[in-house]
Amino acid sequence: MPVKVIVGMQWGDEGKGKIVDMISGKVDVVARYQGGANAGHTVVIGSEKYVLHLIPAGILRSDKTCIIGNGVVLDPAAFIAEVDGLAARDITAKGSLFISVRAHLIMPYHKRLDRASEQSASVTKIGTTGRGIGPTYSDKASRLGLRVADLYRPDYFRDRLVQSAKQKDSFLGSFYGEEGSDIDAVVETFMGYAERLKDYVADTGAMIRAAVAEGKSILAEGAQGTMLDIDQGTYPFVTSSTCVSGGACTGLGIPPSAITEVLGVMKAYTTRVGEGPFPTEMGGQEGEDLRAAGGEFGATTGRPRRCGWLDGVVGRYAVEVNGVNSIALTKMDVLDNMPEIRICVAYEMDGERLENMPANIADMARVTPIYETVKGWMSRTAGVSKYSDLPDGAKRYIDRVEELVQAKVSIVSTGESRAATIVR
Ligand code: GDP
Ligand code: IMO
Ligand code: MG
């Protein structure tokens, strides 16, 4: 198993953190390939709960090498806070955690731009995490970004900073009436970060390629999910990175031929944080009840997550786009008390049945789900760790999901703890 990719199949928060933690026990390297501190990956070990934003969940196992790849956008302050937070809980990152020299830096003006755009009345609100993710990827594509390596060439860093900041300041000033950047202060702060980061910085692409050549096993930890992917998701209501499995190649510096397996993580229902169409969203009390049962509040921003039924159209699409070999179906236990469960099998628009989702977001917002209703199992799956101990109704649900999305469920998660997991 050289490279196994773990990818979210919905709109994020599928329980990737728990599954990464589980599988990381058997690998040598755990690597994040995209996104930034917008992620919130929760791992529960005994009575301890950890929420990781930027650092791969493999850090919780002391013998793993962890990598923040070139495809990630790095907020040095968030990184330092996370490292310090782990240290306070006796988890040492130094020596086992590495940041790519090619990762782009989230600068103060990126966060200001993100927030200003979200508050603006004249720009579509996305409901971002406000972490500066979009503007940083924009600068990367515009070739105006600053990278980790640049921190160690102070003259070059300042020169690039001036170019990039000038452009943003002009826009922030004229469009949002904001004040300009204090270049000297930014340089001073980032030179301080450079000092704190220097023990972690490495050519992680070379490291991973060497690990692949040596036959080591690598787990690529996806953040967000397929429907939040910049190309394959519900654009423009997406994040700004390549969340799908293909992103692991560009975001880590490895060839497609190195990827041997893709594990898709899918919740037994659906959630979404932020704006944008969500065909199977539940309204009113029903949605609130599911939110309460699943504890569906954002791990990064604390925002209540929008909740809805499982969407088979989304699931099938995610299987196809990512090349999902098998699925980890999470949060089964949350459906334990549902007398009836609905599964969306297709959409309808203008009286026509759609097997695939429309590309235009206005169309996506007006499709209506075609549901199939199954009887709930109304008994406990919570904590179950053997497939044979699942109630028949739960087994039937899994069978139906497999049939709908055309992939096997290899892992079923029945609770937040490590023990509450079924491996088939
Ligand atoms: P991620 O972003 O995909 O890693 O997911 P999050 O950590 O943001 O959200 C998943 C939440 O569900 C976390 O609070 C997990 O502890 C929790 N969780 C994961 N798997 C299960 C499960 O099978 N059952 C229950 N009840 N909770 C789970
Ligand atoms: P994990 O890895 C759920 C959403 C935001 C917003 C959109 C764009 O924990 O699954 P951004 O700040 O990235 O520009 O916001 O993407 N979003 C997530 N939703 N889980 C996440 O990460 C998310 N990361 C970003 O809510 O709708
Ligand atoms: Mg999350």
Side-chain angles (χ1 to χ4, degrees), residues 266-268 310 327-333 335-336 341 343 372 374-375 377 381 384 386-414 421-424:
M266 185 165 83
K267 236 179 242 193
L310 189 88
I327 294 173
L329 189 65
T330 62
K331 306 195 87 159
M332 272 302 273
D333 54 297
L335 301 181
D336 281 355
I341 300 171
I343 312 175
E372 195 174 277
V374 298
K375 247 182 88 181
W377 43 91
T381 66
V384 168
K386 273 185 20 211
Y387 186 74
S388 54
D389 290 345
L390 283 177
D392 287 341
K395 288 182 189 159
R396 277 197 297 273
Y397 187 71
I398 294 168
D399 289 346
R400 186 65 187 121
V401 169
E402 288 183 329
E403 198 173 62
L404 263 178
V405 310
Q406 290 291 297
K408 286 281 166 204
V409 171
S410 57
I411 295 169
V412 183
S413 177
T414 59
T421 315
I422 299 168
V423 181
R424 288 170 89 189

Side-chain angles (χ1 to χ4, degrees), residues 239-389:
T239 190
S240 302
S241 67
T242 302
C243 314
V244 297
S245 59
C249 294
T250 52
L252 294 176
I254 52 169
S257 54
I259 294 178
T260 44
E261 202 187 327
V262 179
L263 176 67
V265 185
M266 185 165 83
K267 236 179 242 193
Y269 50 96
T270 312
T271 61
R272 170 162 210 176
V273 195
E275 309 298 318
F278 177 1
T280 62
E281 184 169 15
M282 292 171 178
Q285 194 58 43
E286 204 180 25
E288 275 173 43
D289 289 348
L290 184 56
R291 181 180 307 128
E296 296 294 355
F297 294 89
T300 296
T301 56
R303 287 179 290 175
R305 295 175 180 152
R306 297 157 65 191
C307 295
W309 299 111
L310 189 88
D311 187 332
V313 178
V314 165
R316 196 162 52 234
Y317 179 70
V319 166
E320 287 176 11
V321 166
N322 294 292
V324 167
N325 297 111
S326 74
I327 294 173
L329 189 65
T330 62
K331 306 195 87 159
M332 272 302 273
D333 54 297
V334 176
L335 301 181
D336 281 355
N337 300 317
M338 291 269 182
E340 280 187 339
I341 300 171
R342 299 215 268 174
I343 312 175
C344 166
V345 296
Y347 300 149
E348 194 181 291
M349 189 172 74
D350 301 330
E352 235 181 279
R353 184 184 167 103
L354 303 181
E355 302 296 335
N356 301 306
M357 74 192 82
N360 182 277
I361 206 68
D363 286 342
M364 182 67 174
R366 68 192 185 89
V367 299
T368 48
I370 299 173
Y371 285 117
E372 195 174 277
T373 304
V374 298
K375 247 182 88 181
W377 43 91
M378 297 296 283
S379 57
R380 256 177 96 83
T381 66
V384 168
S385 58
K386 273 185 20 211
Y387 186 74
S388 54
D389 290 345

Side-chain angles (χ1 to χ4, degrees), residues 42-51 60 89 91 416-417:
T42 313
V43 179
V44 176
I45 305 171
S47 57
E48 296 288 312
K49 181 175 176 163
Y50 302 88
V51 181
L60 304 176
R89 299 172 78 175
I91 294 166
E416 58 186 15
S417 75

Side-chain angles (χ1 to χ4, degrees), residues 11-13 16 38-41 127-129 223-224 228 238-239 273 303:
W11 278 278
D13 303 327
K16 298 175 293 293
N38 49 349
H41 296 177
T128 72
T129 60
Q224 291 81 51
L228 289 171
V238 291
T239 190
V273 195
R303 287 179 290 175

